[in-house]
Amino acid sequence: NAVSPLLGGVSTNNTKGVISTKKITPKMILKGDSTMIPESTKYNNNTERFMVREVNLRDNRMTDRGICRVLHDICKCAEVTDNMSLLDLSENHMRKSSADVLGQVLIKCCNLEKLVLEKAEISNIVMKAMQVGLTEGANTCLLHLNLSRNEILDAGCIIIADILANEDCQLRELDLSWNKIQDKGAVAIFTALMTNKQILKLDVSWNAIGTKTEKTFSVSTALSDMLLNNSSLIHLDLSQN
């Protein structure tokens, strides 16, 4: 094990290029005002590339400010060498500021295939802040997006639907389970998937789809049309709605 320049001293395994999931306190993340990327990590013909590929920061009680600091450093790493394929910020406290910076990460990290934001307090406001970055990421490399156990309402679903409807969208798996999605949001998602040819797995379980009786017909119609027109989807979870 060696000490990673990212996060100011979190233990890493250079062989696998993975940042340890061992608990790190916000104080450790925020320690010091200087850059966390030393001069020696800048790439040239005589230095080794920064090799971290997976960053797991799940359940570290990180605030908006702490998340911003880490994401800014990830952006700097991406300028040196772009290796990261997985980023997990689950069970932390995301707000608009960190969502704005995450949008920059999604634009700069062109090899990021999996983004996990489970139970990260994602609201419609946070979704709006990430919209440009998510669109860019989904159109280039992002294959797996986990937004489960958040506070996403119908307005947030419409943002996601716009991303799915883009013909350049590369997403294969989308997890929206355990949110607050109702009929309008579900119709938007199902309608977008009528033309999407990439998505393989969609999980919208444990929401509130079909709870408004007068709207149920439009939901079932959109679902039926999607199933008839979508030729790529192989897994659909609508349980517990």
Side-chain angles (χ1 to χ4, degrees):
N1 283 357
V3 175
S4 169
L6 181 67
L7 306 180
V10 178
S11 175
T12 66
N13 183 322
N14 282 340
T15 303
K16 296 183 179 179
V18 178
I19 286 184
S20 171
T21 56
K22 181 181 179 181
K23 290 277 186 177
I24 47 179
T25 66
K27 185 179 291 185
M28 287 177 66
I29 293 171
L30 298 175
K31 184 177 180 180
D33 295 324
S34 59
T35 178
M36 295 180 185
I37 304 176
E39 195 71 23
S40 60
T41 64
K42 293 184 178 180
Y43 176 71
N44 56 48
N45 292 333
N46 300 317
T47 58
E48 187 177 355
R49 287 177 180 267
F50 186 72
M51 295 302 294
V52 173
R53 285 177 166 79
E54 299 182 1
V55 179
N56 187 344
L57 297 168
R58 175 184 288 265
D59 192 15
N60 276 293
R61 305 174 302 284
M62 293 170 65
T63 63
D64 197 47
R65 179 170 174 258
I67 296 171
C68 284
R69 284 289 302 272
V70 173
L71 292 180
H72 275 304
D73 284 330
I74 288 175
C75 281
K76 292 176 184 177
C77 288
E79 293 172 0
V80 178
T81 179
D82 184 13
N83 285 315
M84 188 172 66
S85 62
L86 180 149
L87 175 61
D88 190 340
L89 291 168
S90 301
E91 299 184 61
N92 290 297
H93 308 288
M94 289 197 67
R95 297 294 184 268
K96 184 181 181 301
S97 295
S98 53
D100 286 334
V101 185
L102 179 57
Q104 298 173 28
V105 171
L106 289 166
I107 292 171
K108 290 186 177 183
C109 294
C110 298
N111 291 308
L112 183 63
E113 296 181 353
K114 187 170 184 177
L115 177 62
V116 186
L117 299 173
E118 180 182 356
K119 203 176 180 181
E121 301 180 12
I122 305 292
S123 64
N124 288 343
I125 295 174
V126 173
M127 282 299 306
K128 184 67 176 177
M130 291 192 299
Q131 184 173 8
V132 174
L134 280 175
T135 301
E136 180 74 18
N139 288 354
T140 53
C141 62
L142 195 62
L143 303 178
H144 309 272
L145 177 60
N146 186 340
L147 294 168
S148 63
R149 297 179 182 272
N150 282 296
E151 301 165 13
I152 299 173
L153 302 170
D154 288 344
C157 272
I158 292 172
I159 292 173
I160 296 169
D162 288 342
I163 296 169
L164 292 172
N166 191 308
E167 62 181 10
D168 295 323
C169 179
Q170 301 298 312
L171 275 179
R172 300 297 194 272
E173 296 185 11
L174 175 61
D175 190 344
L176 293 169
S177 61
W178 289 92
N179 276 284
K180 299 178 180 179
I181 302 168
Q182 297 186 5
D183 297 359
K184 186 177 180 180
V187 169
I189 295 290
F190 296 153
T191 301
L193 290 180
M194 287 178 60
T195 56
N196 184 291
K197 305 300 182 185
Q198 302 295 334
I199 200 81
L200 301 175
K201 181 178 179 181
L202 173 66
D203 190 342
V204 286
S205 60
W206 292 96
N207 279 284
I209 301 170
T211 54
K212 295 183 178 180
T213 307
E214 69 277 9
K215 299 286 186 178
T216 302
F217 178 77
S218 62
V219 173
S220 59
T221 300
L223 176 59
S224 177
D225 290 343
M226 184 269 287
L227 292 174
L228 287 171
N229 289 279
N230 186 293
S231 58
S232 63
L233 193 66
I234 60 176
H235 178 96
L236 174 63
D237 192 342
L238 279 162
S239 61
Q240 304 297 331
N241 272 288

